[in-house]
Amino acid sequence: MDKAGMFSALADLILPVECGGCGVAGTRWCRRCRSRMSDAPVELSPRVDVGVATWALGRYRAPYATSVLAMKEHRRRDLAEPLGAALAGALRTLAAWSELPDVDRLHLIPAPTRALSARRRGGDTVTAFAAAAATELGAGVRVTPLLHTVGSVRDSMGLDARHRASNMSGAIVCRSLPAGLRRPDAGTDGFVLIDDVLTTGATAAESVRVLGAQGLRVHSVVVIAGA
Ligand SMILES: [Zn+2]
């Protein structure tokens, strides 16, 4: 065994390698999960009306929910690449279905994350996999982080749909639009709100509303795992 091989074997002993989607040992992302993640996107019907079509790569179960959790809670930053590749595939499919404008002119807008949560996770995971998707899709696709949360948004866990919506009201604000989005031809660009999980739809609905108030018409919401 050479030095690199020995180091990798030692690292495996310390940090056992397992698939971020299904937990199978010996690989960080197995072929089965890769293939499941390239299934056609599913349309969601959230309890809170989001106002635009809402899609998920899959329902809230493995490998969709598990890979999101692994990235968020177990710092599996390496999953940004496979999740980004899967997201890119879903965006291509949605464009082919005419659910999105030209996939060469997309702005991926990450849903807002609380700064504290992001720091605890070692960075904003949604922006990380959106960036990987943009790289996969090519030069015309940009990640445009415009949204952030203000004030004290309570953790929405345990709140019902109505309370989640009121918890969100006024909690999300949009940064001033970059010059590129104020060009006259920005009107032909596509804007997609990206998030990891969609449960009630309250965060997505408020994000779409806030962007709309700035004159940005969001075409669709696309998430990894939908409840
Ligand atoms: Zn797997």
Side-chain angles (χ1 to χ4, degrees), residues 19 22 24 30 33:
C19 171
C22 64
V24 71
C30 77
C33 288

Side-chain angles (χ1 to χ4, degrees), residues 111-134:
T113 313
R114 283 184 301 166
L116 183 65
S117 319
R119 270 203 299 280
R120 211 179 283 140
R121 285 164 192 157
D124 177 0
T125 54
V126 176
T127 301
F129 67 71

Side-chain angles (χ1 to χ4, degrees), residues 83-92 94 100-112 124 126-147 175 178 181 189-195 211 216 218-223:
L83 288 183
L87 175 61
L91 293 169
R92 282 199 194 99
L94 291 171
L100 279 181
D102 196 346
V103 82
D104 296 331
R105 301 196 52 145
L106 286 184
H107 297 267
L108 309 181
I109 305 175
D124 177 0
V126 176
T127 301
F129 67 71
T135 302
E136 174 91 15
L137 288 169
V141 181
R142 295 199 157 66
V143 178
T144 312
L146 290 173
L147 302 170
R175 294 189 177 89
L181 296 186
D189 289 3
F191 297 92
V192 186
L193 182 80
I194 305 292
D195 208 348
L211 290 165
L216 277 193
V218 173
H219 290 84
S220 298
V221 175
V222 181
V223 304

